[in-house]
Amino acid sequence: MSTEEEPPVSSPSAAAENKENEAGTPKLDTPKIPTPAGTPQNNGISSPISLNMAPKEQDFLNAKAFLLKSSIKSNLNLYDHLSRVLTKVLNERPENVVDVFEDISKDVKRSKFTSQADTILDKVDRSTEVILAEVQKPLFEKNQEEAEHEGGEDEVETPLPNLPELMFYFEQAGIGMSREEMMRIFLALKQLVDNYPLQTCRFWGKIYGTELNYIVAEVEYREGEEEEEEEEEENEAEDVDLDKEEEGEGEGEEQEEDDTPKPDFKPPPVIPREDNRTGTNKKTFFVCNEPGQPWVKLPPVTPAQVAGARQIKKFMTGRLDAPIVSYPPFVGNEANYLRAQIQRISAGTQISPLGYYQFDEEEEEEEEEGTRENFMENPDYEGIPVKDLVDPTFSNWVHHVQHILPQGRCQWFAPIQQQEDDFEDEEEEEEREEPDEPEPEIGPPLLTPISEDIEIENIQPWSARLSSTLVPQYSIAVMQSNLWPGAFAFGTEKKFENVYLGYGHKYSPDNYSPPPPPAVQEEYPSGPEITETEDPTPEEEMALRAAQQEAMEAAEEMEDPEEEEEEDDE
Amino acid sequence: MESDGLHLNISYVGSCGIILSGEQKAALETSLVILQNNHKFNRVFLWGKILGVKNDYFIAQGTGNDEMADRKTLYSLDCVAWGLLPQATQAIRDQCSVVKGRFHGDPAHEYEHIEIQKIGEGEDSTEEESTIMIKEEDRLAAVVADIDEQVAIAPRGAFVKTPHGAVLQNRSFEGLSVTEAGKQQNYCHFREPVRLNEKSLLEKADLDKSIDFLDPINEDIPKGSWSLKFERGSGLVTITSLLWPGTTFYHVPHTRKYGWIYVGTGEKNKDLPFML
């Protein structure tokens, strides 16, 4: 039959023409469709063509006409659609095609409409990937200066750590990130070392945030090289504060007579932060969101921030300028909170094998100072066998970062109460020193073994494992902190390293509960003069009156017999 | 995470700190294949790792024909010998929800839980203390079931529901586009839908019954409990859950590659509303 040779292409136009006619009336007499010889043309009758055809052929034409009927909604007809789907199936020949037939059908329908879509979509998809790749490309490029100094570079000590080696060990322990990312971080650290005068540089770890992550590097500047701009700013701020206080005092003395009651509340004195290179600010930290992005220096941490960070629990968002909305209100933005958490984690989880570091024996500090701060590598360190490092008593690991006191500093700072009247006698000051000044806080000294760490409920604070149970002779020791989940340390005979990969929060088996608001201040001291007493009840009043009358009568009786006696005497 | 190509897929979640050591990868490749053969699973997944104080549990899941209903969970301490976890019934889950703290790492360990029951009414009530022992194995099964229910997700369109009700992989799923992959509503919880039936008819009219039979994650409470990040520019989408920290889902846009894994302590983050 000639109808079988009909190409599918011609029918869409037939369908279009059909659409113009009344819906549901197939026009078989359009010139594009070849009809068997002998059929009349253009008769406009909706009934099927019948003359000179066998009934089966008639049925066939009727069925085909029905299939060619185009849908009102989508302007497709089933005939074309089926032929397209079957063409696709025969071209692609998928497995078990009957099971996915409906999906293929849907795909064909979808593709018909998007074939004319513009190509701009493609560009949008790839641009972010390209941007990131562009940012990271400079990591892999060699500096021109370096190329010149290539000869002599071997002799210069670089503060850059041998990160690939450390990451190999961590990978043995099942800790860390994918190798490509570690490589990129390594190159980013190299960039950091090239741009800043650093004495030591270390990959501290990665802190996850809700929008972006932070990659943290711990550095120590070379002596004398540190930027002094920040210190100048702080001095200015302090001067301004002092001026304000003096002004306030002057005004107070003048207006003593008719004043609104001034609150008695004196805010606790601000505890100054420790200097750079000491205590909590011993190391400086740089962060970036992705390796390749410029490193941003985190500000030094103040005791108020550490104390505040201890009381709140917030996820990092990944943006350093994000505000921290919490109760109690945190003094600072996310950069400060991040820095405080980093310091807390370092103080709690940076450990080294016993004997790796030792105190500098030449410098002896007096006991009043309390803590010894400086240690150095022990040149005679012989290494501790891995089996001893995973000893369940944990006696072979020590902390090498100073513990932070509840005050928020590593060294106790005695706050001197600044009073408005400064003319106190020395004697009075000495007498008042004991009740007013809080007791100096002491914490565990540097290089304390981790066996002294406090347990969390019933769980030991650290877990020690061997990296491989199958081959213990070549395995390394892995320490995981249970107090700060995400803090890991590995140790081999001669090497060790710490890293943190986590959200930056302490572990607590109980729920976090924000501290309750402080108690309402008393407006006035309550004493017997001010307190109301209840009015006496009528019974009590009667009783009192009766008692008073009795007393009066008794007094009268006393007088009367005396008078009588006097009268008698006379 | 599917066991086929585990050693390649694990690098997708590397940016979230999840890696396997070489020894673990090799052991898993071998033992998961054996597992699949022994239990006649269609597909085997490395579900994840639950960190205990003394030891870690590796968890694997195998599915039969129906991807959602036909799931069996197994655990191992060393990636080699696997044991079947008991089915977590509602009773076990209720019992284990009172246990707090870390896993110990010993499947035979028992937690003591003291319940105080009041018997009698009014003033005659006496308090009776009953100590219930909960096995760590049961707790493990309960935690795995909880995590499956609350944070196991899949991209929209990756699974189809046949008219018989069975849930199968969608053979014509070609991956989400980059713009689609950036929207949380294109990812759904892989569990029996809870919120779907509460939607109004108007909302349901637009849904395709074979693909949209799961709850999307953008309606989860609290908002912000999922963190969607693009890694490698737009080459990889990682979604981490803040409700169960350690849950990581990855998807490479425009490809069929997706999967999720849990590596964590097995404790829900109940402080989430404070932390957001």
Side-chain angles (χ1 to χ4, degrees), chain A residues 94-97 99-100 103-104 106-107 124-130 132 170-181 184 206 208-213 290 313-316 325 457-460 462-465 467-471 480-482 485 488 501 503 505 507-514, chain B residues 10-25 27 49 51-56 78 80 100-104 160 170-172 174 177-179 208 210-211 224 226-236 240-247 254 265 267 269-276:
Chain A
E95 299 253 327
N96 296 335
V97 68
D99 294 330
V100 290
D103 293 324
I104 297 179
K106 268 204 215 142
D107 275 341
V124 169
D125 288 349
R126 300 234 180 86
S127 62
T128 44
E129 203 168 349
V130 170
L132 184 69
F170 272 122
E171 197 183 313
Q172 297 280 299
I175 302 159
M177 294 177 276
S178 56
R179 283 199 199 152
E180 293 75 33
E181 186 156 353
R184 270 183 237 127
K206 185 168 176 180
Y208 309 123
T210 55
E211 293 168 31
L212 293 165
N213 302 329
E290 288 273 337
K313 197 169 176 186
K314 280 274 179 187
F315 275 122
M316 310 283 171
V325 180
E457 299 228 337
N458 304 328
I459 310 167
Q460 51 206 347
W462 289 88
S463 295
R465 310 259 171 86
S467 64
S468 154
T469 45
L470 296 171
V471 191
Q480 296 174 11
S481 169
N482 294 329
F488 303 102
L501 298 165
Y503 284 97
H505 297 116
Y507 171 74
S508 127
D510 295 316
N511 292 2
Y512 165 73
S513 185
Chain B
I10 200 78
S11 66
Y12 288 126
V13 289
S15 63
C16 296
I18 299 174
I19 61 167
L20 293 170
S21 75
E23 187 190 319
Q24 287 166 348
K25 266 192 255 182
K49 201 161 104 164
L51 309 169
V53 175
K54 293 201 193 68
N55 271 319
D56 301 333
D78 57 355
V80 179
K100 281 193 303 189
R102 298 279 303 269
F103 279 87
H104 283 256
V160 277
N170 184 0
R171 294 257 311 271
S172 20
E174 285 174 4
S177 71
V178 175
T179 35
D208 182 353
S210 60
I211 301 180
W226 293 94
S227 146
L228 198 154
K229 296 193 194 95
F230 276 99
E231 308 279 338
R232 310 184 191 181
S234 53
L236 176 66
T240 48
S241 166
L242 303 175
L243 186 61
W244 290 91
T247 319
H254 291 293
T265 60
E267 287 168 297
N269 180 15
K270 296 191 187 116
D271 307 327
L272 183 62
F274 287 114
M275 295 170 78
L276 286 175

Side-chain angles (χ1 to χ4, degrees), chain B:
Chain B
M1 184 167 302
E2 201 161 343
S3 62
D4 279 347
L6 180 67
H7 55 291
L8 298 171
N9 293 338
I10 200 78
S11 66
Y12 288 126
V13 289
S15 63
C16 296
I18 299 174
I19 61 167
L20 293 170
S21 75
E23 187 190 319
Q24 287 166 348
K25 266 192 255 182
L28 280 171
E29 272 181 29
T30 318
S31 65
L32 286 180
V33 165
I34 295 178
L35 205 66
Q36 185 171 7
N37 188 34
N38 287 349
H39 290 260
K40 309 277 183 284
F41 289 136
N42 255 356
R43 297 206 290 169
V44 178
F45 297 90
L46 175 66
W47 184 94
K49 201 161 104 164
I50 292 195
L51 309 169
V53 175
K54 293 201 193 68
N55 271 319
D56 301 333
Y57 294 105
F58 285 85
I59 314 274
Q61 257 186 0
T63 54
N65 283 328
D66 184 346
E67 298 268 341
M68 202 185 283
D70 234 352
R71 282 188 283 194
K72 287 210 188 79
T73 321
L74 304 105
Y75 76 99
S76 157
L77 287 162
D78 57 355
C79 298
V80 179
W82 297 88
L84 198 59
L85 267 185
Q87 197 76 316
T89 58
Q90 193 59 38
I92 293 184
R93 285 167 77 168
D94 288 338
Q95 213 185 41
C96 296
S97 59
V98 296
V99 181
K100 281 193 303 189
R102 298 279 303 269
F103 279 87
H104 283 256
D106 176 19
H109 178 92
E110 297 201 331
Y111 297 94
E112 267 190 29
H113 175 67
I114 303 175
E115 255 197 39
I116 305 177
Q117 278 184 354
K118 276 198 172 163
I119 302 182
E121 291 180 4
E123 295 183 358
D124 294 336
S125 59
T126 49
E127 292 191 355
E128 196 184 274
E129 280 190 10
S130 53
T131 317
I132 305 176
M133 305 297 285
I134 303 172
K135 280 203 299 182
E136 179 144 308
E137 221 182 37
D138 287 340
R139 187 182 170 203
L140 195 62
V143 162
V144 169
D146 277 341
I147 293 178
D148 267 341
E149 189 182 309
Q150 292 175 17
V151 289
I153 58 177
R156 177 180 173 270
F159 290 96
V160 277
K161 193 165 190 170
T162 62
H164 304 291
V167 175
L168 306 172
Q169 267 194 309
N170 184 0
R171 294 257 311 271
S172 20
F173 175 62
E174 285 174 4
L176 302 172
S177 71
V178 175
T179 35
E180 280 176 6
K183 297 195 187 131
Q184 283 189 10
Q185 73 208 42
N186 285 321
Y187 301 94
C188 317
H189 286 278
F190 193 61
R191 57 148 199 241
E192 291 297 321
V194 168
R195 288 187 296 259
L196 209 59
N197 302 328
E198 296 163 358
K199 285 196 186 201
S200 66
L201 276 178
L202 202 60
E203 286 170 347
K204 277 204 250 191
D206 287 331
L207 302 178
D208 182 353
K209 269 206 201 139
S210 60
I211 301 180
D212 290 305
F213 61 99
L214 304 165
D215 295 323
I217 67 174
N218 62 335
E219 295 161 8
D220 275 357
I221 298 166
K223 251 192 169 177
S225 57
W226 293 94
S227 146
L228 198 154
K229 296 193 194 95
F230 276 99
E231 308 279 338
R232 310 184 191 181
S234 53
L236 176 66
V237 173
T238 334
I239 306 185
T240 48
S241 166
L242 303 175
L243 186 61
W244 290 91
T247 319
T248 313
F249 167 88
Y250 74 91
H251 174 51
V252 183
H254 291 293
T255 67
R256 292 192 59 130
K257 297 199 184 116
Y258 67 89
W260 73 275
I261 190 170
Y262 175 83
V263 173
T265 60
E267 287 168 297
K268 194 170 173 176
N269 180 15
K270 296 191 187 116
D271 307 327
L272 183 62
F274 287 114
M275 295 170 78
L276 286 175

Side-chain angles (χ1 to χ4, degrees), chain A residues 292-556:
Chain A
Q293 286 184 356
W295 291 92
V296 178
K297 184 159 121 168
L298 285 180
V301 66
T302 66
Q305 287 165 1
V306 172
R310 281 180 166 142
Q311 292 181 307
I312 64 174
K313 197 169 176 186
K314 280 274 179 187
F315 275 122
M316 310 283 171
T317 60
R319 291 169 287 122
L320 284 174
D321 50 1
I324 305 272
V325 180
S326 66
Y327 181 78
F330 184 74
V331 186
N333 58 12
E334 183 159 313
N336 304 106
Y337 182 52
L338 179 65
R339 178 70 179 84
Q341 291 293 95
I342 290 176
Q343 193 56 41
R344 288 174 69 201
I345 293 171
S346 293
T349 62
Q350 301 271 323
I351 56 178
S352 54
L354 181 68
Y356 193 91
Y357 289 120
Q358 69 182 21
F359 286 121
D360 211 357
E361 296 195 355
E362 296 174 0
E363 295 180 29
E364 280 188 14
E365 301 187 18
E366 299 178 3
E367 284 206 16
E368 277 190 28
E369 300 287 333
T371 50
R372 290 197 234 175
E373 286 195 357
N374 296 319
F375 51 83
M376 53 178 216
E377 274 188 41
N378 181 357
D380 303 324
Y381 178 60
E382 282 170 0
I384 303 181
V386 169
K387 239 178 50 168
D388 289 339
L389 286 177
V390 291
D391 192 20
T393 61
F394 304 130
S395 44
N396 287 316
W397 292 89
V398 298
H399 288 278
H400 61 259
V401 177
Q402 261 181 312
H403 173 81
I404 306 182
L405 302 167
Q407 194 186 37
R409 291 170 50 111
C410 290
Q411 280 209 343
W412 168 253
F413 175 77
I416 305 166
Q417 308 255 351
Q418 281 192 8
Q419 310 265 330
E420 288 194 1
D421 36 337
D422 287 332
F423 336 106
E424 277 185 87
D425 294 340
E426 287 187 4
E427 295 176 1
E428 287 183 17
E429 263 194 47
E430 282 177 9
E431 284 176 3
R432 289 176 55 189
E433 229 181 305
E434 289 180 23
D436 274 355
E437 275 196 28
E439 294 251 338
E441 299 160 5
I442 39 171
L446 208 53
L447 300 188
T448 325
I450 63 178
S451 47
E452 310 279 331
D453 284 358
I454 307 171
E455 279 190 2
I456 321 155
E457 299 228 337
N458 304 328
I459 310 167
Q460 51 206 347
W462 289 88
S463 295
R465 310 259 171 86
L466 280 175
S467 64
S468 154
T469 45
L470 296 171
V471 191
Q473 50 261 56
Y474 291 120
S475 63
I476 62 175
V478 183
M479 303 291 290
Q480 296 174 11
S481 169
N482 294 329
L483 186 58
W484 291 96
F488 303 102
F490 83 85
T492 62
E493 294 256 335
K494 289 281 181 177
K495 282 200 212 303
F496 81 97
E497 184 53 277
N498 297 282
V499 80
Y500 181 83
L501 298 165
Y503 284 97
H505 297 116
K506 204 170 191 176
Y507 171 74
S508 127
D510 295 316
N511 292 2
Y512 165 73
S513 185
V520 178
Q521 261 197 312
E522 285 197 348
E523 296 174 43
Y524 47 81
S526 57
E529 314 90 52
I530 315 182
T531 31
E532 277 185 26
T533 50
E534 283 191 7
D535 282 344
T537 61
E539 292 87 13
E540 285 177 8
E541 278 192 17
M542 296 263 287
L544 189 62
R545 219 177 287 153
Q548 278 181 346
Q549 274 202 341
E550 278 182 20
M552 273 192 28
E553 285 168 9
E556 284 177 12

Side-chain angles (χ1 to χ4, degrees), chain A residues 178-299:
Chain A
S178 56
R179 283 199 199 152
E180 293 75 33
E181 186 156 353
M182 291 315 309
M183 209 50 218
R184 270 183 237 127
I185 292 176
F186 177 53
L187 292 169
L189 282 180
K190 178 160 166 292
Q191 234 183 27
L192 185 66
V193 166
D194 288 338
N195 291 340
Y196 291 87
L198 304 173
Q199 187 167 6
T200 61
C201 172
R202 220 187 109 236
F203 174 55
W204 184 90
K206 185 168 176 180
I207 292 195
Y208 309 123
T210 55
E211 293 168 31
L212 293 165
N213 302 329
Y214 288 116
I215 298 175
V216 184
E218 177 191 279
V219 308
E220 217 175 298
Y221 276 103
R222 269 191 236 136
E223 300 218 6
E225 294 266 358
E226 203 165 331
E227 295 169 12
E228 295 181 356
E229 293 175 6
E230 293 184 18
E231 291 189 9
E232 289 178 6
E233 283 180 17
E234 284 190 20
N235 287 336
E236 287 177 14
E238 284 178 11
D239 290 333
V240 166
D241 285 337
L242 284 174
D243 290 335
K244 278 191 192 159
E245 279 189 22
E246 289 175 4
E247 288 175 13
E249 283 181 27
E251 287 176 9
E253 288 176 9
E254 291 171 4
Q255 298 173 7
E256 270 185 37
E257 294 193 3
D258 207 8
D259 249 346
T260 50
K262 288 226 171 73
D264 268 341
F265 172 70
K266 289 192 183 69
V270 175
I271 303 170
R273 70 170 177 86
E274 288 176 294
D275 292 328
N276 295 344
R277 296 171 178 280
T278 59
T280 47
N281 287 319
K282 188 159 185 197
K283 306 266 184 179
T284 320
F285 291 91
F286 281 86
V287 295
C288 70
N289 287 121
E290 288 273 337
Q293 286 184 356
W295 291 92
V296 178
K297 184 159 121 168
L298 285 180

